[in-house]
Amino acid sequence: MTEYAGTGALLRLALRLDRVRASAWILGMVVFTVSSASANNDLYGEPSERAQLAESLESNPALLALGGRAFDLSTVGGINAYQLIAFMGTLIGLMSVLLTVRHTRVEEESGRAELAGSAVVGRRAWLASALLLTVGVNVVIAVLTAMGLVATGLPVAGSVAYAAGCAGIGVVFAFVAGLTAQLTDSSRSATGLAAAVLGLSYLLRATGDAASGSDGGALSVLTWFSPIGWAEMARPYAGEDWWVLLLFVALAAALAGGIGVLVGRRDVGSGVLRPTLGPARASAALGGPLALAWRLQRGSLLGWGVGFLVVGVSFGALAEGTVSIAEDNENIDELLRDLGGSGDIVDVFLSTTMSLTSIIVGAYAVQSALRLSSEESGRRADTLLTNAVERLRWVGSHLSVAALGSVLMLLLAGLGAGVAHGLNTGDLGGELPRVLGAALAQVPAVWTLVGVCALLFGLAPRFAAVSWGVLLAALVIGQFGDLLRLNQTVLNLSPFTHVPDLPGAAFEATPLLGLAVLAALLTAVGLGGFRRRDIA
């Protein structure tokens, strides 16, 4: 029996299990990209409109960090590349991480990989089938995206380069997730490590792109250290550099080699990095379900917290730079206001970045709250609930960690942005409370996502993963609702739409209280449903 025996059967099983999930990813990515491109065709159909946008973005590090490197804004294709590559590439990278870990480490945690291994299934078959599935999904997205972009009237070469760059990001991070699945012994750790690499890649891209607006600053080279940056440097619609795509192939091959070495050095269910043994007796601090939930999620909290602090500092450091740009270009104010926010240009920028940060915090909140699902499906909840632990206390402990952890993430992001911006302006005492308040105002919206997780887990545990779809919908509505010309009714479906545009706008308590009440109601209904249903 070869080490890849049964790969085809496992691939067919993965396709069967993920037929809805994979189809949703494919449909969402393609439709969003093509819709955005079509909208840009209408918005920037005239040369004067494109020239106005180019003037607004020229040498603007803040907007380059948010959107991406702009090579040629004289064409609609170049505008699409600027607006979409970094965002869509990051999203496709996240999709690849989730799909790969789901069909590798999650299968080992559930015991299905070990059960299948007792039959004619090779040692590497699970991993191979997972990577084949994820790579296949990326290829389908790339093909359909390229066809859709060409159908909107964009050049074929640029459309293929754009789609190939995004697919390259997805393939690379599929192999990154395959590597982290070998290193760690849990799906959460594997996902967290791969997501951290994705976040670092995005940060390197943003830093490099921001520096590129300053006459090719030295830091602009950082874009080349990021797979997301490689998709930009392929220059879709701007005289394509096809050789850059070979970097994806080289990195994927190197990661595949690393995976091949590691997969033979561990047993099924374990990781190369073995966890250290704990004390024979638990401390008094682990005497309840809340303490246990904290212990299980503290590593994730630490990783996310460091990331949000760095992101906050980065955005805060860029904020003051928008002032000098606006003094020379009256169009920049209008451009930023199209992204959201009110007040002067710095406040608009801070509002926009805090809104984006809060949606990323929502990803942490969903991941943390859905720990309930993995604990239940892994049968670890049975062990706790057969003892003197009440159901609602157990559920409430994980939801509390998700809710309070979200506050901590926003606090760190706001603190980092406020301190960096305050030091830049020389008014730390005045700016820190304003920026920190803008970050914390997002808390009720994030708690609404926690409530959605609680609702689905309590009433329909098989569909708890739909919470990620709710988060994705909020992201699309919040960041691209105006571009897609969604009506106000659709915009209001996102909880983040109802958060005041602080720090520039006036504070309004009513919508925030409404979101908090909605989050509480969703959570209460979910808890009631869990109390009455059987444990899976």
Side-chain angles (χ1 to χ4, degrees):
M1 182 178 69
T2 69
E3 291 189 321
Y4 294 97
T7 299
L10 292 177
L11 178 58
R12 290 191 294 272
L13 175 62
L15 287 169
R16 175 72 175 81
L17 293 174
D18 264 4
R19 64 190 186 280
V20 175
R21 189 189 305 260
S23 298
W25 276 111
I26 293 170
L27 183 64
M29 296 290 186
V30 174
V31 170
F32 177 77
T33 301
V34 175
S35 298
S36 299
S38 179
N40 279 331
N41 288 342
D42 296 334
L43 289 173
Y44 302 105
E46 298 297 328
S48 59
E49 295 169 331
R50 297 193 291 271
Q52 185 179 24
L53 177 64
E55 184 182 1
S56 300
L57 291 175
E58 186 179 7
S59 302
N60 185 347
L63 292 182
L64 292 173
L66 282 176
R69 192 165 299 198
F71 286 107
D72 183 7
L73 297 179
S74 65
T75 66
V76 178
I79 293 174
N80 282 317
Y82 158 72
Q83 290 186 345
L84 296 175
I85 282 184
F87 173 75
M88 294 304 298
T90 304
L91 203 57
I92 289 174
L94 179 61
M95 175 202 72
S96 295
V97 168
L98 296 175
L99 285 178
T100 303
V101 173
R102 169 174 164 78
H103 291 286
T104 52
R105 181 52 64 184
V106 170
E107 295 297 331
E108 293 188 34
E109 284 184 336
S110 67
R112 289 189 291 269
E114 186 174 9
L115 179 63
S118 62
V120 186
V121 174
R123 182 180 184 85
R124 302 171 187 261
W126 278 103
L127 178 62
S129 63
L131 291 175
L132 285 173
L133 171 68
T134 308
V135 170
V137 170
N138 278 283
V139 170
V140 172
I141 290 175
V143 171
L144 294 179
T145 297
M147 293 173 61
L149 291 174
V150 171
T152 64
L154 294 175
V156 174
S159 299
V160 172
Y162 171 90
C166 289
I169 296 171
V171 170
V172 162
F173 281 99
F175 282 92
V176 168
L179 184 67
T180 60
Q182 309 311 307
L183 293 173
T184 66
D185 63 348
S186 72
S187 59
R188 188 164 296 274
S189 298
T191 302
L193 278 176
V197 176
L198 179 62
L200 177 62
S201 179
Y202 184 89
L203 185 61
L204 289 171
R205 192 280 313 163
T207 305
D209 288 351
S212 70
S214 303
D215 298 324
L219 290 178
S220 64
V221 73
L222 291 178
T223 301
W224 286 102
F225 290 88
S226 165
I228 301 174
W230 297 346
E232 294 180 347
M233 301 308 287
R235 300 174 65 98
Y237 308 107
E240 293 75 19
D241 283 338
W242 297 103
W243 70 267
V244 177
L245 300 178
L246 295 176
L247 295 175
F248 294 111
V249 178
L251 182 54
L255 290 169
I259 292 171
V261 172
L262 295 178
V263 73
R265 297 186 178 182
R266 67 178 186 88
D267 295 327
V268 176
S270 65
V272 174
L273 303 177
R274 300 182 182 276
T276 57
L277 295 177
R281 291 181 176 274
S283 66
L286 288 175
L290 180 59
L292 177 60
W294 153 253
R295 175 65 180 81
L296 292 173
Q297 300 199 43
R298 66 182 183 182
S300 177
L301 271 168
L302 177 62
W304 280 98
V306 171
F308 281 114
L309 182 61
V310 171
V311 168
V313 170
S314 301
F315 283 146
L318 291 170
E320 188 64 16
T322 58
V323 174
S324 59
I325 302 297
E327 290 175 349
D328 299 327
N329 189 343
E330 60 184 14
N331 297 323
I332 193 65
D333 186 77
E334 180 181 353
L335 177 65
L336 274 176
R337 290 181 194 281
D338 288 340
L339 296 174
S342 57
D344 63 34
I345 187 172
V346 175
D347 287 344
V348 171
F349 176 79
L350 290 171
S351 175
T352 301
T353 55
M354 283 302 138
S355 176
L356 178 60
T357 301
S358 68
I359 295 178
I360 304 175
V361 172
Y364 158 77
V366 171
Q367 181 196 49
S368 179
L370 291 186
R371 181 64 186 253
L372 290 165
S373 294
S374 62
E375 292 294 304
E376 183 179 12
S377 61
R379 303 296 181 184
R380 293 180 291 273
D382 293 344
T383 304
L384 289 174
L385 298 178
T386 53
N387 295 306
V389 177
E390 297 179 359
R391 283 185 167 211
L392 296 188
R393 286 187 64 200
W394 175 70
V395 176
S397 64
H398 284 279
L399 294 179
S400 296
V401 170
L404 296 177
S406 302
V407 177
L408 177 62
M409 299 302 118
L410 288 167
L411 180 67
L412 289 172
L415 187 64
V419 170
H421 179 52
L423 291 176
N424 272 347
T425 60
D427 185 18
L428 181 61
E431 294 298 334
L432 177 58
R434 296 176 68 246
V435 178
L436 189 58
L440 294 178
Q442 307 286 339
V443 167
V446 177
W447 280 357
T448 303
L449 294 176
V450 177
V452 170
C453 294
L455 179 71
L456 292 172
F457 176 74
L459 298 181
R462 291 183 58 188
F463 299 98
V466 173
S467 304
W468 288 107
V470 175
L471 173 65
L472 180 60
L475 173 62
V476 172
I477 291 173
Q479 300 302 310
F480 297 94
D482 291 336
L483 175 63
L484 298 176
R485 299 181 179 179
L486 302 178
N487 61 48
Q488 192 60 43
T489 301
V490 176
L491 294 177
N492 288 337
L493 294 176
S494 170
F496 299 94
T497 301
H498 305 280
V499 178
D501 294 325
L502 301 176
F507 176 77
E508 298 180 36
T510 302
L512 299 182
L513 289 174
L515 289 173
V517 170
L518 176 60
L521 289 174
L522 293 172
T523 303
V525 174
L527 292 176
F530 177 72
R531 189 174 186 177
R532 291 188 294 271
R533 73 171 175 85
D534 295 330
I535 300 294

